[in-house]
Amino acid sequence: MSLEYTHQPDYFLFAQLLMRHIQQHMQKHTNADHAIFDLSDIYQLFRQDLASATTNLEGILNIADEYKVETLYGDQKLIQQYKMDIENNALMMQFHVAALQALREGKALLPPDSTLQE
């Protein structure tokens, strides 16, 4: 008897959900150049998929930090740096100022090419 493992997490879908959440958050907080998200909010955002909010979060963040925004200086990554603070149950993100400003001005998020990802 062979049991095949068929569930594969959709990292790109969760990265897209996370980026839309970041986009909405940053449009509400127009003076911020960083954000701190509670990991329980990320868990809710990922529709209570515990694996994606814990074990697979690093892989999702690796895709999310490849999203770019068109700026006067060319396409720039939105996420400059991120850090997970497990003790405080938080995800901290720092953003590129020019990319963040362009996003607030209505420029679109440019997703990474999924065919190039490993």
Side-chain angles (χ1 to χ4, degrees):
M1 180 175 178
S2 174
L3 295 176
E4 258 185 66
Y5 181 72
T6 59
H7 173 73
Q8 295 181 345
D10 193 345
Y11 287 13
F12 282 90
L13 172 65
F14 289 129
Q16 180 72 20
L17 287 171
L18 180 60
M19 293 308 293
R20 293 297 174 207
H21 181 70
I22 290 169
Q23 184 178 23
Q24 291 172 354
H25 178 83
M26 296 315 291
Q27 287 174 345
K28 289 179 186 174
H29 301 90
T30 56
N31 293 330
D33 63 351
H34 68 281
I36 300 173
F37 300 105
D38 192 281
L39 288 177
S40 64
D41 293 339
I42 302 299
Y43 174 67
Q44 294 300 321
L45 178 69
F46 292 164
R47 294 179 173 85
Q48 300 179 348
D49 183 340
L50 185 60
S52 294
T54 56
T55 307
N56 299 335
L57 186 56
E58 185 71 31
I60 294 166
L61 288 169
N62 284 335
I63 294 169
D65 87 342
E66 292 297 319
Y67 274 73
K68 297 180 180 181
V69 180
E70 181 184 340
T71 69
L72 294 174
Y73 311 104
D75 295 346
Q76 290 193 1
K77 291 182 180 181
L78 178 61
I79 300 173
Q80 181 176 359
Q81 178 181 348
Y82 65 85
K83 179 183 175 189
M84 286 183 279
D85 183 354
I86 303 303
E87 290 179 13
N88 294 316
N89 200 35
L91 171 62
M92 297 172 282
M93 293 188 160
Q94 187 73 28
F95 302 103
H96 286 280
V97 176
L100 186 58
Q101 183 61 35
L103 185 68
R104 288 181 175 141
E105 291 172 357
K107 298 288 185 178
L109 281 170
L110 306 172
D113 184 355
S114 63
T115 62
L116 300 177
Q117 300 293 321
E118 294 183 12

